[in-house]
């Protein structure tokens, strides 16, 4: 995926927030970016590369992200897809040993209100 600057918001490293994914189109606002605002109560700010382990964990917890939902224009996620996750849900998965890897440059700095930077770095695919 070509990472592009699509917002003036910042990432967890203090730089510009880069896009997470356009295919599938992710983000609370479906801009491809893990940007956030007052409407985003779940704080969908952690850019991840989902794994089968994480998808199975999420399904067991009642949040099935792999089953297509045409009514919501959602094709379902597959391992390897990049997706903006709620910071609290990512942390829960981390504590359960099922957290997917993180793309720091595309993870919004609001994630730091929930997850420590050193924890995110331990799961980072970049920097």
């Amino acid at each position: 995926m070509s990472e592009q600057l699509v917002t003036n918001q910042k990432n967890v490293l203090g730089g510009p927030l880069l896009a997470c994914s356009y295919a599938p189109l992710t983000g609370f606002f479906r801009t491809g970016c893990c940007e956030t605002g007052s409407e985003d109560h779940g704080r969908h700010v952690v850019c991840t590369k989902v794994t089968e382990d994480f998808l199975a964990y999420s399904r067991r917890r009642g949040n099935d992200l792999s089953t297509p939902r045409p009514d919501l224009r959602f094709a379902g996620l597959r391992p390897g897809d990049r997706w903006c996750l709620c910071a609290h849900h990512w942390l829960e998965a981390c504590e359960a040993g099922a957290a997917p890897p993180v793309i720091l440059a595309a993870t919004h700095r609001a994630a730091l209100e929930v997850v420590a930077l050193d924890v995110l770095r331990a799961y980072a695919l970049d920097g």
Side-chain angles (χ1 to χ4, degrees):
M1 130 143 225
S2 168
E3 293 179 336
Q4 298 176 18
L5 178 63
V6 295
T7 180
N8 62 358
Q9 296 187 28
K10 300 290 184 187
N11 65 39
V12 294
L13 302 173
L17 183 65
L18 300 181
C20 182
S21 176
Y22 296 114
L25 188 59
T26 191
F28 178 78
F29 299 105
R30 292 300 190 261
T31 61
C33 190
C34 298
E35 60 193 338
T36 191
S38 60
E39 306 93 337
D40 180 14
H41 300 290
R43 295 297 215 184
H44 297 76
V45 294
V46 181
C47 180
T48 65
K49 185 173 183 180
V50 299
T51 61
E52 182 57 46
D53 232 16
F54 170 75
L55 291 172
Y57 167 81
S58 189
R59 191 170 32 255
R60 286 191 306 272
R61 301 280 296 158
N63 186 19
D64 184 358
L65 296 172
S66 52
T67 299
R69 296 282 313 268
D71 56 318
L72 300 175
R73 295 185 326 202
F74 178 67
L77 298 178
R78 295 182 306 273
D81 285 343
R82 288 169 61 156
W83 194 250
C84 296
L85 294 180
C86 295
H88 286 288
H89 292 171
W90 185 89
L91 183 58
E92 288 172 358
C94 180
E95 291 168 348
V102 174
I103 297 86
L104 297 174
T107 295
H108 194 282
R109 68 179 172 190
L112 299 175
E113 297 168 10
V114 177
V115 185
L117 182 56
D118 61 329
V119 175
L120 291 170
R121 282 187 191 273
Y123 289 83
L125 289 176
D126 59 341

